[in-house]
Amino acid sequence: MHPDRPEPKPGEIPAARAGFVALLGLPNAGKSTLLNALVGEHLSIATSKAQTTWQRVAGIRTEDACQMVFLDTPGIVTGPGLFHRSMALETGRAADDGDVLVAVVDGAAPMPRNPAGLLRDYLAAASVPAALAVNKADLGRFNPEPANSLAEGLQLPAFIVSARTGAGLEPLLAFIGSSLPEGPFLYPEDDIAAAPARFFVQELIRETVFEQYRQEVPYSVAVQVEEFREGEDPVYIAASLHVERRSQKGLVIGRRGAGIRKLGSAAREKIEHFLGRPVYLDLWVKVSDGWRRRRKGLAMFGYTVPDDAP
Ligand SMILES: Nc1nc2c(ncn2[C@@H]2O[C@H](COP(=O)(O)OP(=O)(O)O)[C@@H](O)[C@H]2O)c(=O)[nH]1
Ligand SMILES: [Mg+2]
């Protein structure tokens, strides 16, 4: 219970609660996997590679008189590049919008010192209720101690969870539910996402790129859905993949188009699952020279542009 909030009187029907829950944490902690587990749908792309989430993704869970709008974020991203700063800004904005903060910590990995310090700063500066979700409890090497002592130092509750198996989510949800402000729902009760279907199509294609390509290639690919014709059967979707350099175009397309064909069929299956309908997916590869380093490039693909961007 938030300290400023009065206890409901016995017999009183509790008012509805609703608000934003920002998911913070280091790359690879499992923020996106946790959002998906909390919403019960694969909304936010999650891969074994770090920094796959480039902008905020909102997923909605409505239960009884409580609506939680989870904001997945790129997390605590450090790095001098424009794109790193764009991601860090996204995280900061989601944290500002959060009525509750949940810091996701990988309990199966050693805590790196510097970024963990940033996480601590975020939590220490928070003016809203916050908690730690100590994730990956399903792994044998799980050790909650470092996260627990971080939580203790900040006087925050810590919840041991596994985003992968769904274990331990109930106590975390109870904490979030009781910490949200009273107020009407922010979205219709049946909505699970706060973005149009084409956003998720774009993200599913990006996720598949992360799964199928190596090294820096997936980090260079922005996806733009050019056409989305839901009136057609199968649904017709055309999307372009924008790489940063000409040499990457060949890498994505692959020998005699094998790469792009494999990408297209795996992405199509995911999109069909998401839409619940057959899909015809047309993919194009384009070169948008150094888009991650330019204001125009970031803006073109809908990413946050830092004020001082060239
Ligand atoms: N074993 C295990 N793996 C997890 C869990 N949560 C996330 N992962 C894995 O950790 C990696 C990073 O997850 P992701 O959600 O993309 O992390 P993010 O960068 O914080 O969004 C992926 O390979 C996930 O499958 C968990 O509870 N248990
Ligand atoms: Mg993520």
Side-chain angles (χ1 to χ4, degrees):
M1 173 80 54
H2 194 261
D4 301 338
R5 188 169 293 139
E7 296 267 354
K9 295 185 189 70
E12 196 179 61
I13 298 171
R17 291 176 188 276
F20 293 99
V21 184
L23 302 178
L24 305 175
L26 306 184
N28 252 346
K31 299 175 293 298
S32 300
T33 309
L34 183 62
L35 176 128
N36 295 337
L38 292 166
V39 176
E41 193 81 30
H42 183 75
L43 288 181
S44 197
I45 69 173
T47 76
S48 56
K49 297 197 174 76
Q51 292 175 9
T52 49
T53 308
W54 290 353
Q55 63 200 131
R56 77 160 69 178
V57 179
I60 306 165
R61 178 187 177 107
T62 306
E63 206 174 29
D64 305 325
C66 186
Q67 183 171 71
M68 305 173 185
V69 185
F70 294 100
L71 303 177
D72 189 13
T73 68
I76 310 293
V77 178
T78 52
L82 186 64
F83 200 66
H84 285 98
R85 287 193 291 126
S86 162
M87 289 192 280
L89 267 177
E90 275 286 288
T91 301
R93 286 183 187 170
D96 288 344
D97 289 347
D99 298 297
V100 176
L101 302 185
V102 174
V104 185
V105 177
D106 183 343
M111 229 190 279
R113 192 160 293 164
N114 275 339
L118 282 175
L119 183 63
R120 188 179 299 117
D121 294 346
Y122 253 116
L123 293 171
S127 55
V128 295
L132 267 74
V134 192
N135 190 31
K136 309 199 186 181
D138 57 293
L139 292 177
R141 59 177 187 276
F142 179 76
N143 169 20
E145 274 325 304
N148 278 340
S149 64
L150 175 64
E152 239 167 73
L154 291 161
Q155 297 190 308
L156 296 177
F159 298 92
I160 289 176
V161 301
S162 166
R164 178 165 290 173
T165 66
L169 298 185
E170 283 308 322
L172 174 64
L173 283 164
F175 168 81
I176 295 168
S178 66
S179 305
L180 284 175
E182 282 181 12
F185 288 174
L186 304 165
Y187 293 92
E189 223 167 292
D190 295 330
D191 283 13
I192 54 154
R198 53 197 300 155
F199 171 76
F200 295 100
V201 167
Q202 162 207 305
E203 291 293 278
L204 289 171
I205 296 170
R206 248 177 18 84
E207 180 177 66
T208 317
V209 170
F210 267 92
E211 287 163 354
Q212 296 193 357
Y213 295 91
R214 286 184 299 176
Q215 289 165 358
E216 94 300 350
V217 173
Y219 294 97
S220 296
V221 176
V223 174
Q224 214 166 26
V225 175
E226 313 269 4
E227 279 189 71
F228 191 105
R229 287 192 235 131
E230 281 183 277
E232 287 180 25
D233 188 26
V235 178
Y236 176 80
I237 299 173
S240 49
L241 281 71
H242 294 254
V243 293
E244 289 188 284
R245 286 193 297 281
R246 181 150 298 279
S247 60
Q248 294 169 332
K249 182 171 173 173
L251 284 174
V252 171
I253 293 174
R255 193 170 301 203
R256 296 209 191 108
I260 192 85
R261 269 200 306 281
K262 184 163 165 244
L263 172 70
S265 76
R268 177 177 49 76
E269 277 181 31
K270 293 183 186 198
I271 297 166
E272 288 181 335
H273 181 81
F274 178 74
L275 297 176
R277 293 179 54 190
V279 164
Y280 185 92
L281 181 62
D282 229 347
L283 294 180
W284 304 86
V285 184
K286 298 179 181 172
V287 182
S288 290
D289 212 6
W291 67 266
R292 274 165 68 110
R293 285 181 280 114
R294 290 176 219 274
R295 160 184 289 272
K296 223 178 95 189
L298 295 186
M300 179 156 79
F301 302 120
Y303 295 111
T304 297
V305 184
D307 283 338
D308 58 344

